[in-house]
Amino acid sequence: VKWKGKDLFDLVCRTVGLRETWFFGLRYTVKDTYAWLKPEKRVLDQEVPKDFPITFHFLAKFFPEKVEEELVQEITQHLFFLQVKKQILDEEIFCSPEASVLLASYAVQAKYGDYDPNFHKPGFLAQDELLPKRVLMQYQMTADMWEEKITAWYAEHRGIARDEAEMEYLKIAQDLEMYGVSYFAITQNKRDTDLLLGVDAQGLHIYNPNNKLNPNKSFPWSGIRNISYSEKEFTIKPLDKKKDVFKFYSSQLRVNKLILQLCIGNHDLFMRRRKVDSIEVQQMKAQAKEEKARKKMERQILAREKQMREEAERAKEEMERRLFQLQDEARLANEALLRSEETADLLAEKAQIAEDEAKLLAHKAAEAEQERQRLEVTAMKTKEEKRLMEQKMREAEQLAVKLVEQSERRCEIITIATLSVCFN
């Protein structure tokens, strides 16, 4: 019960290992607004809720001008990344659709590491909140189509470590108009139209309520001589005495104190950035540099080991593939050998059959030759017999002719004889 705000805040910082404490604070909600826990006062003496448990939000109270130059520790970068990402998703920071997709791709790289199409299958981002609802509602696109667009960018970030991806996210986010700006409702006087006051690392800005992107008027910290307030009236005195003093009003005393806190804190950091770093910051930067070099070396070693492992796996896969191929070839060769042996047996059997058939054919050919010779002999005999028969026939014919001639001569002789007798 005796703890001051600083005691609680320091305990939180030690718990998370944070040394760049000047950016952060413990915020709590009181009535219709919020307040930051004051370090010098006891916790229970402040307007913290009396409910149990008391809820505080550990958040960045002040934002750097250039994240890459000012944020030293990795834990500091990570905390800013988480807070800015939530503000973008909750639409507390306006972000165009194109920038939203690019930021989402770095958030995916920070969470999942390098893109692997064999592991990161379609739908792996289904449970992740990556884009503001306003962007999702602006286009007629399905969740799968958004995932495809984010994944296309995500695949380009191969080789970027988590802390590097988060830093790339913050480097893009810090250029958004609403980044790091705390807005408060004000009026320039009691009868004028309502305005908005924006407080950030660069200075003070005056906006129309319906336009938080483009201020009507800005007062950079380098151009402000003094800021003061009395009850509800704030006075900004420019460094250039020729310029008019700007006054505005805020209706709540609690809000006025908060505005003054943010103005003082942002101005102090603005001046601090333009001075030589303290010994503590120099030591932190040196340690961070050594840590980054060590992690870079570790990542290079891991990358080489990963590459060697991938090459070994590829070689193993190639050997296994070659082994399977050789096994298939051996199996096919064995099958071919078996088929060859079967074919050889079949061919031998066919050869034996062919040899037997050849012997049979040779035997039949010999018999045919003998038959042919016999037929030839028979034919010769028949031919000779025919010739003899023809000769006999010719002789018979000749004999018949002679007999006819003889008969005719006899007849003639008889006739002559008969005639002679008759005449005689």
Side-chain angles (χ1 to χ4, degrees):
V1 295
K2 294 181 179 181
W3 268 20
K4 293 182 179 181
K6 185 178 185 303
D7 298 321
L8 180 59
F9 178 74
D10 289 344
L11 176 60
V12 175
C13 292
R14 287 196 303 271
T15 302
V16 299
L18 178 71
R19 295 179 63 187
E20 297 173 272
T21 58
W22 47 86
F23 291 114
F24 297 89
L26 288 172
R27 199 177 78 176
Y28 59 93
T29 302
V30 49
K31 295 184 179 179
D32 56 347
T33 184
Y34 65 87
W36 295 93
L37 193 66
K38 296 180 179 64
E40 69 280 358
K41 293 181 64 176
R42 288 201 308 177
V43 175
L44 298 180
D45 289 344
Q46 302 183 48
E47 295 182 299
V48 297
K50 297 303 183 282
D51 301 333
F52 184 82
I54 302 172
T55 301
F56 295 96
H57 295 276
F58 185 74
L59 297 170
K61 186 177 181 180
F62 307 106
F63 287 74
E65 292 181 48
K66 296 181 180 179
V67 291
E68 193 171 18
E69 296 178 6
E70 295 181 50
L71 302 183
V72 180
Q73 283 188 292
E74 186 176 328
I75 181 62
T76 312
Q77 298 175 16
H78 183 61
L79 292 172
F80 267 97
F81 164 75
L82 293 176
Q83 182 169 334
V84 172
K85 185 179 74 166
K86 187 175 187 305
Q87 288 178 319
I88 290 175
L89 294 177
D90 292 345
E91 301 184 34
E92 295 176 13
I93 298 176
F94 176 83
C95 186
S96 67
E98 295 79 8
S100 297
V101 172
L102 180 57
L103 289 173
S105 69
Y106 279 113
V108 174
Q109 177 71 20
K111 181 175 180 179
Y112 292 101
D114 289 343
Y115 173 68
D116 184 353
N118 297 321
F119 180 75
H120 300 115
K121 301 293 185 181
F124 78 104
L125 297 178
Q127 303 302 319
D128 291 291
E129 185 182 3
L130 297 170
L131 297 171
K133 291 182 180 179
R134 172 186 51 79
V135 174
L136 296 174
M137 299 296 292
Q138 189 172 346
Y139 295 93
Q140 298 287 334
M141 293 177 62
T142 64
D144 293 339
M145 296 168 70
W146 282 116
E147 180 180 298
E148 185 178 351
K149 289 180 69 69
I150 293 172
T151 304
W153 280 104
Y154 167 42
E156 298 293 325
H157 304 327
R158 185 174 181 81
I160 298 180
R162 191 198 78 167
D163 57 326
E164 294 173 339
E166 292 180 351
M167 179 54 69
E168 292 298 323
Y169 187 103
L170 291 174
K171 284 163 64 176
I172 296 171
Q174 72 178 355
D175 293 330
L176 301 175
E177 289 82 355
M178 296 175 67
Y179 166 84
V181 182
S182 298
Y183 294 93
F184 302 94
I186 62 169
T187 57
Q188 193 167 355
N189 58 57
K190 295 179 180 180
R191 292 172 297 182
D192 278 353
T193 307
D194 290 341
L195 299 172
L196 286 177
L197 170 70
V199 185
D200 67 5
Q202 303 291 335
L204 301 176
H205 313 280
I206 310 300
Y207 301 86
N208 286 327
N210 57 353
N211 184 359
K212 293 183 178 181
L213 302 179
N214 302 307
N216 298 332
K217 186 178 293 188
S218 293
F219 300 93
W221 296 121
S222 59
I224 297 176
R225 184 172 78 243
N226 184 32
I227 299 174
S228 61
Y229 91 98
S230 175
E231 294 184 354
K232 299 179 180 181
E233 182 183 79
F234 273 83
T235 301
I236 302 175
K237 294 182 180 179
L239 195 62
D240 187 354
K241 295 182 179 180
K242 295 180 180 180
K243 292 185 178 180
D244 296 333
V245 173
F246 185 82
K247 294 184 179 182
F248 62 88
Y249 297 87
S250 178
S251 59
Q252 299 183 42
L253 181 61
R254 187 183 300 108
V255 174
N256 294 344
K257 291 180 179 180
L258 178 57
I259 292 173
L260 189 62
Q261 281 182 26
L262 293 177
C263 288
I264 294 172
N266 275 296
H267 183 267
D268 288 346
L269 285 176
F270 177 83
M271 299 302 295
R272 178 176 176 172
R273 294 183 191 106
R274 283 144 184 84
K275 295 179 182 179
V276 179
D277 290 334
S278 65
I279 299 298
E280 180 187 6
V281 174
Q282 290 179 23
Q283 291 175 348
M284 288 171 55
K285 287 186 175 179
Q287 291 173 358
K289 187 176 180 180
E290 292 176 1
E291 184 70 13
K292 286 183 178 179
R294 183 184 63 80
K295 287 187 175 182
K296 184 178 180 180
M297 181 66 68
E298 288 178 354
R299 284 197 294 267
Q300 289 175 348
I301 293 173
L302 288 174
R304 285 197 296 269
E305 290 177 352
K306 183 179 179 181
Q307 182 180 1
M308 292 172 63
R309 186 167 61 252
E310 290 176 350
E311 290 176 355
E313 289 177 354
R314 284 196 295 269
K316 179 182 177 183
E317 292 174 357
E318 177 63 22
M319 291 177 65
E320 289 178 349
R321 186 190 65 79
R322 183 60 180 160
L323 177 61
F324 291 148
Q325 183 179 356
L326 291 173
Q327 289 176 345
D328 288 340
E329 291 177 356
R331 180 179 55 78
L332 294 174
N334 288 331
E335 292 176 356
L337 180 60
L338 291 175
R339 287 196 299 270
S340 298
E341 292 175 352
E342 293 174 356
T343 303
D345 293 341
L346 182 60
L347 290 175
E349 184 178 351
K350 287 185 177 180
Q352 184 64 40
I353 294 172
E355 185 178 354
D356 294 341
E357 289 180 350
K359 290 179 180 179
L360 180 61
L361 289 173
H363 180 68
K364 288 184 177 180
E367 291 180 348
E369 179 64 20
Q370 292 175 0
E371 181 67 18
R372 183 186 66 78
Q373 291 176 359
R374 185 183 66 76
L375 291 173
E376 284 182 353
V377 171
T378 303
M380 290 175 64
K381 289 181 179 179
T382 303
K383 185 176 180 182
E384 181 65 23
E385 290 176 354
K386 180 180 178 183
R387 186 182 62 76
L388 293 173
M389 188 175 290
E390 288 178 350
Q391 183 178 357
K392 288 180 180 180
M393 288 178 65
R394 284 194 299 271
E395 290 176 353
E397 288 177 354
Q398 291 175 358
L399 179 60
V401 170
K402 286 181 180 181
L403 289 175
V404 170
E405 289 177 352
Q406 288 177 3
S407 176
E408 288 178 352
R409 281 197 301 268
R410 284 176 185 167
C411 286
E412 288 177 358
I413 292 171
I414 293 171
T415 301
I416 293 170
T418 302
L419 289 176
S420 294
V421 172
C422 289
F423 284 122
N424 293 323

